[in-house]
Amino acid sequence: MAKGKLLIGLDIGTSGIKFCQLKEGKRNFQLVNFGLALLPPETIVDGALIASNTIVDTLRELFDAHRVRGREVGISVSGHSVIIRKIVLPPMTQEELQESIQWEAEQYIPFDMNDVYLDVEILNTQSVEHNQMDVLLVAAKKDMVSDYVDVVREAGLIPRVVDVDCFSVQNQFEVNYELPLTETVVLINIGASVTNINIVSRGITTFTRDISPLGGNLYTEEIQKQLDVSYEEAEILKAGGELGADADAVVPQEVERVIHAVSEGVASEIQRSLDFYTATSADSHISRIYLSGGTAKIPSLYRIIEQKLGVPVEIINPFKNIEVDGSRFDLEYLRDVAPMAAVATGLALRRVGERR
């Protein structure tokens, strides 16, 4: 990892904002600060910032409440406005690739090239006799990126890096887990409205997909509709809470039935993506699936994914190899919110001036 000042990782998600701040210790990274603030419904819809002022106010309040030192942040994006493609090109240098990528990208990106930011990374150079190399191409729509950058700046912060959610999850995974160099693992980040899938084979990203709308909001909407409760009540029920004695009786078994049905649908969507990968890849055996995101905390979901795909599933802990001072942080709280902190922690490992 490149040397330089670590950024504050800032994850602006559909349901809430998370930030993480780390520093380098002698052996491991150390947690300096972490915070989370929920956003009102429909503040962000399909990646679009509907209520920018609310996001700005929430950012300011969150950083003030946690007395955050530092203003340089890394942010990330995902969804329909982000396109990631693995392409095969003749061998060339990074400089030659940068010069030719505009033309190459036009074949793979369904947007006007003037409307997107492009980035490219050489994944690996194949053997000489194959005369080709694998390249990762990333395009993000300029207007969407600008919207996120603008709210961050308006909140008094300085955006130094714009990453992609699925790669941010991979960044923290490589620090907290042993990235298998002979196996294929799947990193699935399930947020409120978008699910990011990143298949890493032999240490290299080989397939990514964002599925939207697919996430925790589906559970809330179905609980609202089928049990005739408010959004706030549905959120409580989704998290396993109770509505209280003065509310209309909601049978726990009915809540579980709705949650189970939605989990089946989410798992099926994930299965379709993985089936596509295995049908088109020579190395199709998946050894393990790792889940992150707030929706990963729903117990029935990881069990159903495990059953459907026949692959062991584990919930990611982005603080697994991060040193945490128990006298400064509520360890039980961090364990509870850990799945939601994967993107922010991955961004907190990025550095000023670093090129991924």
Side-chain angles (χ1 to χ4, degrees):
M1 184 174 285
K3 291 297 180 184
K5 181 181 177 183
L6 287 171
L7 296 169
I8 299 169
L10 181 59
D11 175 17
I12 303 174
T14 302
S15 64
I17 298 173
K18 288 80 67 179
F19 83 87
C20 180
Q21 188 173 20
L22 304 173
K23 70 176 181 180
E24 283 189 280
K26 292 182 179 179
R27 293 178 300 172
N28 298 315
F29 291 96
Q30 299 172 352
L31 184 63
V32 174
N33 212 336
F34 175 80
L36 181 157
L38 298 179
L39 290 172
E42 299 186 353
T43 299
I44 300 176
V45 178
D46 293 333
L49 309 188
I50 305 300
S52 297
N53 289 341
T54 300
I55 299 169
V56 171
D57 291 343
T58 304
L59 276 170
R60 288 172 175 162
E61 292 166 5
L62 181 63
F63 272 55
D64 287 346
H66 288 268
R67 299 178 181 176
V68 181
R69 293 183 178 178
R71 284 293 179 264
E72 295 179 302
V73 302
I75 61 174
S76 63
V77 293
S78 66
H80 297 308
S81 295
V82 179
I83 302 293
I84 303 171
R85 294 283 186 270
K86 191 182 83 166
I87 62 177
V88 179
L89 297 176
M92 63 183 78
T93 65
Q94 185 74 40
E95 290 74 20
E96 291 171 331
L97 181 60
Q98 290 293 341
E99 290 177 5
S100 64
I101 195 57
Q102 192 82 10
W103 180 84
E104 296 288 353
E106 289 180 349
Q107 305 174 64
Y108 302 97
I109 305 301
F111 304 136
D112 187 318
M113 289 298 99
N114 294 318
D115 295 337
V116 300
Y117 292 110
L118 281 176
D119 199 5
V120 64
E121 186 77 18
I122 298 173
L123 293 176
N124 66 327
T125 304
Q126 303 283 7
S127 57
V128 176
E129 56 266 29
H130 284 100
N131 197 35
Q132 61 187 24
M133 66 182 187
D134 290 333
V135 172
L136 196 66
L137 176 66
V138 182
K141 296 198 78 171
K142 288 181 178 179
D143 55 357
M144 184 266 295
V145 172
S146 296
D147 286 346
Y148 279 79
V149 167
D150 287 347
V151 296
V152 168
R153 285 178 173 157
E154 195 173 338
L157 306 175
I158 307 169
R160 293 296 192 190
V161 165
V162 180
D163 206 334
V164 178
D165 284 0
C166 66
F167 297 144
S168 299
V169 173
Q170 182 178 344
N171 206 25
Q172 64 78 30
F173 181 83
E174 291 175 3
V175 167
N176 288 291
Y177 296 80
E178 186 175 347
L179 187 64
L181 299 180
T182 59
E183 298 176 357
T184 298
V185 298
V186 184
L187 309 180
I188 303 177
N189 183 57
I190 310 177
S193 62
V194 181
T195 292
N196 320 116
I197 298 176
N198 183 8
I199 300 179
V200 183
S201 181
R202 302 179 185 274
I204 297 173
T205 293
T206 58
F207 176 88
T208 67
R209 186 186 178 198
D210 285 354
I211 311 174
S212 174
L214 189 76
N217 286 350
L218 292 179
Y219 292 87
T220 307
E221 290 164 6
E222 282 301 303
I223 292 171
Q224 274 186 271
K225 184 169 65 177
Q226 296 196 32
L227 303 182
D228 192 25
V229 295
S230 68
Y231 173 88
E232 291 75 14
E233 290 170 333
E235 283 286 299
I236 292 170
L237 293 171
K238 181 177 71 174
E242 297 180 356
L243 299 184
D246 56 343
D248 292 336
V250 175
V251 181
Q253 288 83 352
E254 285 297 297
V255 178
E256 183 55 40
R257 176 187 60 79
V258 175
I259 288 176
H260 189 276
V262 177
S263 293
E264 286 277 357
V266 172
S268 294
E269 282 294 331
I270 291 170
Q271 184 178 32
R272 275 190 276 274
S273 291
L274 299 194
D275 284 348
F276 175 80
Y277 168 79
T278 56
T280 56
S281 173
D283 185 16
S284 60
H285 176 71
I286 295 170
S287 60
R288 186 172 289 268
I289 294 171
Y290 294 87
L291 294 185
S292 62
T295 309
K297 295 174 59 181
I298 295 176
S300 65
L301 179 57
Y302 79 84
R303 289 197 294 263
I304 290 171
I305 293 174
E306 203 167 56
Q307 292 164 6
K308 274 186 176 292
L309 278 70
V311 177
V313 176
E314 183 175 338
I315 308 298
I316 283 178
N317 176 9
F319 304 122
K320 183 179 179 182
N321 279 350
I322 305 293
E323 292 182 19
V324 181
D325 185 348
S327 65
R328 292 186 57 234
F329 294 95
D330 183 337
L331 299 182
E332 186 175 345
Y333 170 75
L334 285 181
R335 280 191 292 270
D336 183 52
V337 301
M340 294 183 276
V343 171
T345 305
L347 289 167
L349 293 161
R350 298 297 305 271
R351 301 171 185 273
V352 175
E354 175 193 30
R355 192 182 190 285
R356 184 177 173 81

